[in-house]
Amino acid sequence: MAVHLHEEDLPEGVLAPGAVAVDTETMGLITARDRLCLVQISDGQGDEHLVRFSPGSAFNAPNLKAVLADPARVKLFHYARFDLAAIRHYLGVDATPVFCTKIASKLVRTYTDRHGLKDLVSELLGKEISKQQQSSDWGGPVLSDAQLEYAASDVRHLHAMYDILVVRLAREHRTEIAQAAFDFLPTRAALDLVGWADKDIFSHE
Ligand code: MN
């Protein structure tokens, strides 16, 4: 098990076939303003690959884009809405099909309102992860060991949680509505990017 840091693209052939866990780190929460700094990706076999983009990056990352856009690979995210917008805006691809562990959690863990990654990993897997580096500077020339470990840990547990959440969704008869919600996520991200981030177009108001 190792964390691999790459510059500007993923090397070819480093991922096993199947679903991949994906996360992004950016300069902030406003996608068009706050550039994409890092994309983390894992095939669930124990290694995490971190792809770093420089401040002047042209985001030419053919290998990474091919994996993200591969219709044969389900992309596992926690809060896919944000990552899909960043990936679409900076890399120009829709990272579909999608499974979002936060949405799945909201649909089955109706007994709590704690759906953060840390809470979910703790309850479902009995493991503790740190969110201490979440708000750190991802845009610098050197990422600290703590940042690399944090970034990797954000994709490390998504496969294990996916396995559990799939069973829980089936148990609660919410597989179909979850899938429909996941399928809508690229549109939700597109709405965010064109100015409807804070408005719910389904609401009466
Ligand atoms: Mn993250």
Side-chain angles (χ1 to χ4, degrees), residues 23-25 40 131 150-151 154:
D23 187 35
T24 64
E25 304 302 335
Q40 307 99 285
K131 294 302 283 183
Y150 164 77
D154 269 359

Side-chain angles (χ1 to χ4, degrees), residues 92-200:
V93 295
D94 272 334
T96 55
V98 180
F99 184 100
C100 177
T101 54
K102 189 168 199 137
I103 287 175
S105 174
K106 287 180 177 176
L107 289 173
V108 297
R109 295 173 66 250
T110 39
Y111 47 82
T112 178
D113 58 4
R114 301 180 71 88
H115 302 287
L117 183 67
K118 186 178 168 57
D119 294 306
L120 205 53
V121 169
S122 172
E123 185 189 303
L124 298 186
L125 305 177
K127 292 178 177 166
E128 298 306 318
I129 58 165
S130 167
K131 294 302 283 183
Q132 224 168 25
Q133 299 296 320
Q134 185 163 34
S135 313
S136 63
D137 178 8
W138 295 98
V142 177
L143 297 175
S144 70
D145 287 346
Q147 283 180 305
L148 297 176
E149 172 55 24
Y150 164 77
S153 74
D154 269 359
V155 290
R156 188 169 292 152
H157 304 293
L158 297 184
H159 285 80
M161 295 203 297
Y162 167 73
D163 290 342
I164 293 169
L165 289 165
V166 163
V167 173
R168 295 275 293 270
L169 284 166
R171 190 189 82 192
E172 300 303 323
H173 306 291
R174 290 185 186 143
T175 301
E176 260 183 55
I177 201 162
Q179 190 59 55
F182 302 152
D183 292 343
F184 176 70
L185 276 165
T187 306
R188 181 60 268 187
L191 284 164
D192 289 344
L193 287 172
V194 293
W196 278 278
D198 301 320
K199 290 274 185 218
D200 175 6

